[in-house]
């Protein structure tokens, strides 16, 4: 007799797959975990797949062969994604979020694990079937979003620093110019942190002029890196002529008027989600 | 007839609970999701609890009453925790990690979503039954660990900044002295980011002299905050006389000799895990 009931095996398989998004888990692993025959595990996986996909919780992919197994592909359902981004826009339209200087306060949103988990899942969904080696961001506020994206893609995070740190070892640094002010700043990356010739995506919280993104692209050139995409949580509509062209926001800040207390922010209509 | 089989309901319940650690999900939510009777859901939850707890994947807690429901409590099994921290120590003992200046390179570990997820789960396990309102860290390298801890505790993250940003609105800032150098630096926190009188934990990647932790404690005093604990990934053994007393590392860097290429790092023996 088998040690665990089918019920229990299915529950536990879903837990392991959900805890390890985008990672292939072998049938052997489950077979040993439950002391169950591989044929039983195969049947369990069919139920797991049906459950996850019927309830629109993502996809389950089985990989045949010696290196084979099963993986959970975290794709948020279209309707859920739209509802979620709409709800973020509604939160952000609150006039109390307007900060003197013409900024909008959204730190509470990107520091909320529950919200940033969903944001990361949405961004990851855009790249989940592409070959990506790293998720790159610039410190500081982009980090939570980028980490959650990296978690769902099962890829390492790379954080570009504003200053160089002794604890990073040898670094590569460049000077770059902000897109909106003409201030020259420095950004740096540890030489050890990224393999030459990698494919990356850039993830950040906000894009105004695109200077930071362009700086990251220039810095990554020193590592022969190919940038496969740039996604930001919010892009401001102005300036329309940004320093980078191919970027993709979840929301667009169309207009912010501190005096009239107007925050006009809308979902960006994606066309290329899976 | 019910729309979903018990098998499927159990799998989906585990997915939802696992995706929302420490958050109470109502029976109503599941009842509506599956168009199933509450009595069926109650029976499902019993199987879920048995599965998760038998396989040592954490605990399942049911909360009775009107505001009741069920929540997943992410506690890593003792043996798994010890094995994992030992494996981290083994990784860190690699002499190629020694950086000139007498530092150790560990950025790859704390930027790996898979590893930092487990680190966050271990740290959260220490505070999971305490009332914590926020998880506080200092930018930059502590952020991934702190975010994952916050995710498992289902509490917001707070990031103390080294410089003040116009996009943060009104800020409170203090000067503090590093424990090892005598350099005076500034740290700041947005006034909006934290409610007065909150209970927090401080999470960071490394502690040497304790100056940063002491600075955060002093800054938090301006918000009448109670610090319930300080946990760091690595603490160096020297200086033994740190500026904060009650802290709790996962690993202790006992000795680092760049010339002899020795990295002596060991697990810290915790006594107060749940």
């Amino acid at each position: 007799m088998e040690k665990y009931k089918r019920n229990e095996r299915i529950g536990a398989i879903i837990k392991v797959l959900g805890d390890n998004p985008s990672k292939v888990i072998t049938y052997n692993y489950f077979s040993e975990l439950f002391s169950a025959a591989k044929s039983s595990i195969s049947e369990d996986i069919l139920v797991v797949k049906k459950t996850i996909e019927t309830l629109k919780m993502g996809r389950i992919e089985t990989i045949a062969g010696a290196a084979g197994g099963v993986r959970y592909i975290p794709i948020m359902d279209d309707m859920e994604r739209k509802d979620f981004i709409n709800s973020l826009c509604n939160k952000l339209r609150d006039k109390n979020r307007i900060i003197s200087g013409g900024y909008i306060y959204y730190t509470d949103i990107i520091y909320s694990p529950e919200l940033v988990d969903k944001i990361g899942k949405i961004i990851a969904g855009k790249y989940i079937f592409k070959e990506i080696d790293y998720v790159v961001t610039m410190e500081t506020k982009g980090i939570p979003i980028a980490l959650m994206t990296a978690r769902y893609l099962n890829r390492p995070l790379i954080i570009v620093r504003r200053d160089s740190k002794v604890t990073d070892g040898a670094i590569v640094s460049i000077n770059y110019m902000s897109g909106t002010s003409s201030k020259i700043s420095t950004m740096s990356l540890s030489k050890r942190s990224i393999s030459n010739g990698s494919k990356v995506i850039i993830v950040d919280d906000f894009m105004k002029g695109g200077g930071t993104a362009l700086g990251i692209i220039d810095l990554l050139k020193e590592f022969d890196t190919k940038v496969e995409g740039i996604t930001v949580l919010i892009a401001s509509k102005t300036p329309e002529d940004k320093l980078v062209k191919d970027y993709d926001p979840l929301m667009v800040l169309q207009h912010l008027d501190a005096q009239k207390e107007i925050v006009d922010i809308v979902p960006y209509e994606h066309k290329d989600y899976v």
Side-chain angles (χ1 to χ4, degrees), chain A residues 78-93 122 232-235 248-254 263-271 273:
Chain A
D78 259 18
M79 186 65 81
E80 189 186 347
R81 190 184 75 235
K82 282 176 188 166
D83 284 352
F84 176 71
I85 294 178
N86 267 324
S87 77
L88 286 186
C89 286
N90 283 338
K91 274 197 211 330
L92 289 166
R93 280 187 201 116
I122 290 172
V232 295
L233 179 65
I234 306 170
D248 185 37
L250 301 192
M251 294 175 279
V252 179
L253 180 60
Q254 303 207 103
V263 185
D264 181 8
I265 186 163
V266 295
Y268 177 76
E269 288 306 321
H270 299 257
K271 284 167 189 71
Y273 272 94

Side-chain angles (χ1 to χ4, degrees), chain A residues 71-259:
Chain A
R71 66 172 188 148
Y72 162 61
I73 301 178
I75 296 171
M76 196 185 282
D77 175 56
D78 259 18
M79 186 65 81
E80 189 186 347
R81 190 184 75 235
K82 282 176 188 166
D83 284 352
F84 176 71
I85 294 178
N86 267 324
S87 77
L88 286 186
C89 286
N90 283 338
K91 274 197 211 330
L92 289 166
R93 280 187 201 116
D94 181 352
K95 64 180 174 14
N96 294 316
R97 291 188 172 273
I98 298 171
I99 289 174
S100 60
Y103 297 96
I104 177 168
Y105 185 81
Y106 57 88
T107 314
D108 57 322
I109 289 172
I110 56 174
Y111 292 0
S112 153
E114 194 176 347
L115 299 178
V116 85
D117 184 278
K118 291 197 167 81
I119 292 167
K121 194 173 187 177
I122 290 172
I123 298 175
K126 195 174 150 57
Y127 301 101
I128 204 117
F129 294 116
K130 293 186 180 167
E131 279 180 39
I132 302 295
D133 298 304
Y134 300 96
V135 175
V136 181
T137 192
M138 174 91 174
E139 61 182 350
T140 298
K141 280 161 80 177
I143 299 173
I145 299 172
L147 177 64
M148 287 308 188
T149 304
R151 179 175 178 268
Y152 279 113
L153 292 172
N154 189 28
R155 289 292 176 271
L157 174 69
I158 302 285
I159 302 174
V160 175
R161 307 289 301 256
R162 268 195 200 83
D163 40 16
S164 59
K165 294 285 165 191
V166 285
T167 53
D168 282 345
I171 57 150
V172 176
S173 70
I174 62 157
N175 292 319
Y176 72 104
M177 200 181 284
S178 156
T180 37
S181 65
S182 41
K183 213 181 100 194
I184 290 181
S185 309
T186 304
M187 60 169 77
S188 71
L189 191 53
S190 165
K191 281 194 78 171
R192 292 182 185 227
S193 64
I194 186 165
S195 309
N196 264 45
S198 302
K199 291 178 179 173
V200 309
I201 57 169
I202 296 172
V203 171
D204 213 345
D205 58 319
F206 197 90
M207 183 183 287
K208 197 170 181 185
T212 303
L214 185 64
I216 296 175
I217 292 171
D218 283 343
L219 177 59
L220 290 173
K221 277 183 189 155
E222 301 298 321
F223 296 84
D224 289 330
T225 296
K226 185 153 185 269
V227 177
E228 296 281 338
I230 304 171
T231 298
V232 295
L233 179 65
I234 306 170
S236 67
K237 197 178 176 192
T238 53
E240 297 211 11
D241 191 24
K242 301 204 192 304
L243 293 172
V244 291
K245 296 303 161 202
D246 291 327
Y247 68 95
D248 185 37
L250 301 192
M251 294 175 279
V252 179
L253 180 60
Q254 303 207 103
H255 183 63
L256 177 68
D257 189 324
Q259 282 223 302

Side-chain angles (χ1 to χ4, degrees), chain A residues 4-43:
Chain A
Y4 293 93
K5 290 184 195 151
R6 164 140 297 168
N7 268 347
E8 296 165 351
R9 291 199 310 263
I10 288 169
I13 290 171
I14 289 186
K15 181 71 171 60
V16 171
L17 293 177
D19 282 353
N20 295 281
S22 296
K23 187 180 174 182
V24 177
I25 312 284
T26 62
Y27 282 57
N28 263 343
Y29 174 84
F30 291 120
S31 192
E32 282 171 25
L33 184 64
F34 306 125
S35 316
K38 266 201 188 179
S39 55
S40 302
I41 303 296
S42 291
E43 287 167 37

Side-chain angles (χ1 to χ4, degrees), chain A residues 46-62 71-73 77:
Chain A
L46 290 179
V47 181
V48 166
K49 186 175 165 69
K50 180 170 173 255
T51 305
I52 295 295
E53 297 184 356
T54 308
L55 284 160
K56 297 181 177 173
M57 290 173 161
R59 296 192 200 162
I60 298 293
E61 196 182 64
T62 52
R71 66 172 188 148
Y72 162 61
I73 301 178
D77 175 56

